[in-house]
Structure formats: C-alpha cells, structure tokens
Amino acid sequence: MVGFAIIGVLLLIAGISVVVARQPVYSALALVGVTLGLAMIYLMLSADFLAVAQVIVYAGAIMVLFLFVVTLLTAGKEDKEPADTLAGQRWAGALFGLLVGGALAVDAVLHPAPKIAAPVVPGFGGLHAVGEALWGPAFVMLAGVALLLLTAVLGVLMLNHPEAAEKIAGHRRTTPPGVTVSPAEGEDGA
Amino acid sequence: MQYLLPEILVAGSALLGLLAMVVVPKVRGLASWVVLVGFLAAGVDAATMWNVTPSLIVYNSMAIDKYGITVTELVLLAGISTILLAWNAEHFGEEFPVLVALSVLGMMGLGGATSLMPVFLGIELLSLPLYILAASRHTPEGGEAALKYLLLGAFSSGILLFGMALLYGATSTLIFVAYPGIASHAQVWLLWPGLGLVVVGIAFKLAIVPFHMWVPDVYEGSPTPVTNLMAFGTKVGAAIILLRILAFGFYGQAGAWGLLLGYLAVLTMIVGNLLALPQTNLKRLLGYSGIGHAGFLLVGIATHNIQGAQAMMFYLLPYGLAAIGVFAVIRLLEQGQDGDRGVILSDLQGMAYQRPWLATVLIVGMLSFAGIPLTGGFVGKFFLMQAALFANRPGFAVGIVVGTLVGLAAYLRPLQAMFQRDGVSERVRTMRWSAAGVMVVAVAVVGTIGIGVYPAPLVHIVSQSANFYWLKGG
C-alpha cells in the first residue's frame, strides 16, 4: 500500500508535468517517468513480463521516436503557446478532470474492491503465461489487432502516395480552366 | 474454428487482394475482383450455417447464431454495393477494396461479439479504414471529413474504452453475456457510469442526436461509395451491438435505460429530419436523414421487447437498400460532368423527363426513406410502431409519426427538383450508366419494393434471428 502511494504520487507529478511543461522535450521526458511508474505498478501486480515490455517498448522505442520528432520539429523555434481558441477551456478541462478523478477516488474509498484471497498461480505474468494467453484464448483478438495495424500501415501508404501530394497541390493551385499541365510535369508523378 | 470461416474468408480476401496488387500490378482492378469473390464466398458460407445450433465460441467471446449470420449478410451487402459503386474507378486508389474488406470484417465481428474485447476491436477495425477511405480522393473536403471523423472517432473510442474499463471493474469479466447474473450484486457505482459511457461511445458511431455533429460534414466530404458504406454498414454494426449489449447484458436494468434511450430516440428522429429539411446538397441531406433513421432504429432498442428487437433488425434492410439505391444515383450523376463536385438539388433538374429510369430509382429510394406504403420503409416503420405500442410507450409511437412527417417533407424536395420542367441540368445530360451501377440500383429497387409488397420472408428471418435469448442457458 505504501509503495503504491509513493508510486502514485510520482506518477501524478510526472503526468501533470507532461501537460504543463512549456518545452516539448520536458513533456517527453516526463512521459518517460509515467511509463516507468506504470511499469513499477505492473511489477507490484506480479505482471513481470508486462512491466519489462512496457519499459522496452515505451521508454525504449516510442520515447526515442517522440524525442526525434520533437528535436526535428522544434529546433530553434520559440516556445510560445498559441492562445486559447475557447475562452476558459483550461479551467473547464481542469474542473472536469478533478470532478471525474474525485468521483472515482470517493468511489474507491467508499466501495473498496473485495480482497482476493487466493495467491496468484505460479508463473503468473511471466513470459510463458502471457504467451499462452495471447496464442490461446486471445488468439482471434490478436489476429484482429494485427489486421488493425495492417490497416494503419495501408493508410499511411495510401495517404502519403507521391501522386497524392501533387494532387493536393493541384487543388490549391488556382489553375484557370482550359490550361493543361505540361507533359513533363505530368510524367513526374507517374 | 470452422464457424469463423466467413470472417476468415473476408480477411483472406483482403490479404490476397493486397498481395495481388504487388505481384501482378499490371492487372488493374484485380484487388476488386478478389475482394468481391471473397465477399460472395463469405455470404454463401454464412448462409449455410443458418441451422447451426447456437453456441459460444472463442472462449465465450464470440457467438455463432442467426443474429450474427443476419448481420454478416447485411454488412456483406453493404460491402458488395460499395465495391460495385467504386468499380473501375482507379482514382479511388488500388487499396480501396482492401480497406473496404477490412472495414466489413470489423462489422462482421460486431455481429457475433459477446465480449467487450471483440466489441472494441470490431468498432476500431470498422472505423480505421473509413477514416482513411474518407480522405482517399485527396480533396480538401475529403481531408476535412477524414480529420473530423478521426478526431471525433478517437474521442468516442476513448469514452467507450473508459466505460468498458469501469464495467470490467464492476463485474471482473469482459464477457457481457455473463452480466445478467453478476450485475445485480456488482458494484453499482462502477456499473452505471460504465454502462452510460459505453452507450455514449456507441451512440457516437450510430449518430444519436446529442452526438451527431460529425455526420453531415463527413458524409459530404467522403467519396460517394465510402459514404454508402458509412451510411449502411456502420449503422448496422453500431445498432446491432448496442441491442445485444443492452437487451441481453443489462436486461435486468431495462427500466432505467429503456426510457432514457426512448427520449433520445424521439429527439433524434425529430431533430435529424428537421435538419434535413433545409439541405441543398444531396449527400448532406442523406447525412441528416441517416441521423433520423438512427433514431428510428433506437426505438426498437428502447422498447426492450422481442417485437422491438425484431422491428429494428427488420428496419435495417429496407433502410440499407434505399440508401444504396440513392447513393448509386449520386454516383452515376458524378460520373458525368464536374466529377466529384457535390450533387446539389438543382443538379437534379429535369431528371424525371431526361432520365426516367434513374429518376425512378431516386423516387423509390426517397419514398422508402419517407415510409410510403408499398416500399420496405413503410413496413419497417409499421413494425417499429407496433413494438412501441406493445411496450406500452405511446410517446415513442407519436415520435415516429412526427419524425416521419417531417422526413417526408425533406425527402420530397429532391423529387420536386427532379420534376422541374424548365431545362435539364448539365449533370443529368452528361451522366453515364455503368454496368456495376445498374446492378446496384436494380437490387436496391427490386429489394425495396419486394420487401414493401411481400415482407413475409424477411419477417420470418428476423423473427428467428432476433431471438438471442438462448444465451441465457449458454
């Protein structure tokens, strides 16, 4: 319980700093803190494999990607925040967040979940158990997720087609009717 | 596993189509053929399973029963019509049929889902290809439609997922057909917010009134075949899973959610049809009409009786047939001059005299939307009203009547434009028939009138399939 409280407080601090940090790099670094905290909670719940995967995949791979993007996009730019388009949206958002969080916290205190008496089965949360769950009961779902990822890849291919960029540029260009694109330009896209 | 063969066939045709694009890039349109054959094979295979004893498969997370099979056939019809409407249109991109197949696969998964995990996966697999397809023409309007759809879709998926997490917390299982036994002694404070969030998440997909804002822009900006899939397939998937979750998983709490959904249904029917009135763009008009029809479907869920479930399932087919007919007309008009510029009401001028056959299709479709006798839409509305009265909810029936009346005015406006004598619009003059388009409109017209004149076979099918209470024993 004490461990959970400490990790919870750290997680909250990291989570809030993701949102309020002025530099995107700090946000990304705070997100590393969130992932590590989550991994520790997984460890406490004896989901060992999930904890390791969380660290490797999120803190390792995805955060590096984030950092690359942040470095490429924000290098040498001023960190001025755009003005709010909706008046008071921050306060409203904070208020709603506090209300929902508060309601869940009150619920958790008033109606605590029943204690699980039985100890976890040996090997629970290990590589073997996760593999058996994924390739056994959840196999159809795993296949569904695979198709979902395939769709995402297809979408990237389809929307970033070289012809597509040309076409959008063509829409923006205000070509008077009757004027045709020169053949050389047309062949570039083909 | 052999019960999942229709799903496997559709997934396989998507993968094979993808492979065909790479291996034989010379043969244009091969992917469309592969996916079409896959759809037809899946439809035949699902039909042969009609008399299988209902059972739970995949560790209780999917069911094989007549309910799921009916859904499969409906969404395959939507998928086939979409492929045919985009036939030979290379500007949609070669990946078009593959993405349609993946989206249809998601809808099929929703039909059989008995656990929240396939529900979420199905909704995501249904939506993700649609986000991409909405932007597939690379027009600014398409981009706007895709972005709006993506943002609101992600938002609603977040709500849905939060609700599912709360339901899992309350009942400690994701298999919602097990909820009736658990819900009575579950943690009420997690159960009710969870149920509410799940319903809101699905209501976004179904376009129920407070959550309908995205529909008109998305329908207008997307390419017409894609709009057809959104209007028919997405509605089928979302309505069907809402019915199974509520009517089976939460039948003990029906007193609370039934009335609430009924109010939403009445609001949706009236607001959707009212907003359809001033529209001049045909696809926008159909978007608002789709909102109105979502309200009609919701009546069948809100009444919470077996008649309501049957009426809702019945209503899906006439609505879908009328929708594919009207979208086919729009698509045929788009094949003339001006390409993809939205078809507006003045584009229909003189169609009744210049193109009488095309005009007939539009008349049949619009009259079926409005619910005029001798069309399928009338029979559907009749059954919904019957269900509302059996459930002792006359208010719902009044809502149906008011919604229908307002809708009638909205649907007559395109017909009025079509019969205007002064001149023929350029679009009507330059439109071109295509074999695939003719097939779609033929099925739509024959089906719509057929259901309206002789509804008995369809009534028989839905009365068998809407009975999914066998789950109580399983």
Side-chain angles (χ1 to χ4, degrees), chain A residues 107 111 137 147 151 158 164 167, chain B residues 59 92 105 137-138 189-190:
Chain A
D107 180 37
H111 310 273
L147 286 173
T151 314
M158 195 166 170
K167 214 170 153 197
Chain B
Y59 301 85
F92 284 118
L105 182 68
R137 292 300 319 278
H138 305 295
W189 293 102
L190 290 181

Side-chain angles (χ1 to χ4, degrees), chain A residues 22-180:
Chain A
R22 298 194 75 80
Q23 290 266 9
V25 181
Y26 295 153
S27 287
L29 285 177
L31 202 55
V32 176
V34 175
T35 22
L36 290 179
L38 271 181
M40 280 198 259
I41 288 187
Y42 291 153
L43 269 184
M44 287 169 61
L45 296 170
S46 35
D48 306 349
F49 174 71
L50 206 58
V52 177
Q54 168 90 5
V55 172
I56 293 176
V57 175
Y58 281 90
I62 293 182
M63 285 324 299
V64 173
L65 262 181
F66 266 145
L67 283 177
F68 262 116
V69 173
V70 166
T71 342
L72 286 177
L73 288 185
T74 58
K77 282 194 188 145
E78 276 184 65
D79 59 329
K80 256 196 188 155
E81 281 195 49
D84 286 2
T85 39
L86 286 170
Q89 61 177 355
R90 278 158 204 255
W91 293 111
L95 191 69
F96 275 116
L98 280 179
L99 273 180
V100 172
L104 284 175
V106 167
D107 180 37
V109 171
L110 290 185
H111 310 273
K115 280 229 162 58
I116 300 167
V120 291
V121 285
F124 174 85
L127 184 55
H128 210 76
V130 171
E132 263 178 5
L134 273 186
W135 294 88
F139 177 69
V140 175
M141 313 302 151
L142 186 70
V145 171
L147 286 173
L148 209 55
L149 292 176
L150 175 78
T151 314
V153 173
L154 259 182
V156 172
L157 279 179
M158 195 166 170
L159 297 181
N160 285 327
H161 215 264
E163 284 169 25
E166 202 168 82
K167 214 170 153 197
I168 292 171
H171 274 291
R172 295 217 179 102
R173 230 181 286 138
T174 47
T175 330
V179 176
T180 46

Side-chain angles (χ1 to χ4, degrees), chain B residues 77-203:
Chain B
L77 182 65
I80 291 172
S81 66
T82 305
I83 297 280
L84 286 180
L85 286 185
W87 201 257
N88 272 342
E90 273 150 26
H91 48 258
F92 284 118
E94 292 170 70
E95 297 90 346
F96 184 91
V98 176
L99 288 172
V100 171
L102 288 169
S103 183
V104 166
L105 182 68
M107 297 165 193
M108 289 165 71
L110 284 180
T114 56
S115 153
L116 294 176
M117 211 182 334
V119 170
F120 183 72
L121 267 179
I123 285 185
E124 285 306 294
L125 194 53
L126 173 169
S127 315
L128 196 59
L130 286 178
Y131 304 147
I132 302 162
L133 288 172
S136 61
R137 292 300 319 278
H138 305 295
T139 55
E141 297 81 21
E144 186 194 332
L147 194 62
K148 277 185 179 160
Y149 199 15
L150 173 72
L151 287 179
L152 276 170
F155 181 59
S156 63
S157 291
I159 293 177
L160 183 69
L161 209 53
F162 193 21
M164 287 176 175
L166 291 182
L167 283 183
Y168 182 70
T171 60
S172 61
T173 175
L174 284 172
I175 297 166
F176 65 78
V177 291
Y179 284 177
I182 305 169
S184 50
H185 52 86
Q187 301 226 10
V188 184
W189 293 102
L190 290 181
L191 191 77
W192 281 109
L195 177 62
L197 289 172
V198 167
V199 169
V200 168
I202 300 177

Side-chain angles (χ1 to χ4, degrees), chain B residues 359-424:
Chain B
T360 312
V361 180
L362 196 62
I363 291 172
V364 170
M366 286 296 176
L367 291 187
S368 182
F369 273 150
I372 302 291
L374 291 187
T375 60
F378 168 73
V379 188
K381 288 199 170 74
F382 176 82
F383 281 132
L384 280 174
M385 221 137 120
Q386 197 186 29
L389 292 177
F390 276 158
N392 203 13
R393 299 254 196 245
F396 296 0
V398 173
I400 295 178
V401 173
V402 176
T404 307
L405 277 177
V406 180
L408 182 62
Y411 299 127
L412 285 182
R413 286 188 63 226
L415 303 190
Q416 181 206 12
M418 206 167 75
F419 277 99
Q420 264 166 15
R421 274 207 179 273
D422 33 321
V424 177

